[in-house]
Amino acid sequence: MQLNGLIITLPKEIKLLIGAFVILLSIGFYTGLLFVGETSSANPNGIEEHYLGNEDDENAEVMRFKKSDQEMLTLVHNHILSMSIIFFLVGGLVSITKLNRKLKLFLIIEPFVSVLLTFGGLYLLWIGVLWMKYIVMFSGFLMTITFTTSTVIIFKQLFKKS
């Protein structure tokens, strides 16, 4: 079975289903990014402060406390499970687009690496590996770029005439 470019030949009803799914998925994904921006200032030190607290900073505008074991395990568990499902579905859609094989493989595999580095990195940061905040920041950025690129490609090819 030829998968490369299959998305272009799908029936209109399936294309509408995929389009509606990708729109809602994108709203959820980018809302999550807004939340990250609000809670961690979207920078390495803000990430560190969000998970490790800032009790020692007498000048802090908002007092934060180190996340508990339960909070961290819940966060890592929920995000790894949900993001792996999200990227499995997006990767499945990317697999039926018409793309260069190497780019397609990158867009399909990279998000899984970024999910592991981002949320595994948050856990390592929480247990004291402070330099992981830079890995978390970079992998989160790369995950977002990959998600955005994948969804743009899916949309462009979804409504392309066969």
Side-chain angles (χ1 to χ4, degrees), residues 47-117:
I47 293 168
E48 180 179 342
E49 184 179 280
H50 184 73
Y51 293 97
L52 297 179
N54 64 0
E55 301 101 72
D56 297 336
D57 184 1
E58 293 178 11
N59 299 321
E61 291 180 30
V62 176
M63 182 64 72
R64 298 183 195 272
F65 298 95
K66 184 175 181 178
K67 300 284 184 216
S68 69
D69 292 3
Q70 184 179 3
E71 287 175 302
M72 284 307 295
L73 290 173
T74 299
L75 177 124
V76 170
H77 170 272
N78 289 345
H79 280 83
I80 288 179
L81 283 177
S82 61
M83 297 295 267
S84 65
I85 293 168
I86 288 167
F87 285 113
F88 177 78
L89 294 169
V90 171
L93 294 173
V94 167
S95 73
I96 62 173
T97 61
K98 186 173 180 130
L99 278 181
N100 169 285
R101 187 174 192 278
K102 287 183 181 181
L103 175 59
K104 187 182 284 193
L105 284 174
F106 176 79
L107 292 174
I108 290 171
I109 300 302
E110 188 287 324
F112 295 104
V113 174
S114 282
V115 167
L116 185 61
L117 289 174

Side-chain angles (χ1 to χ4, degrees), residues 127-138:
I127 63 170
V129 185
L130 299 182
W131 57 267
M132 285 304 294
K133 63 187 172 187
Y134 300 105
I135 302 296
V136 167
M137 189 82 190
F138 178 74

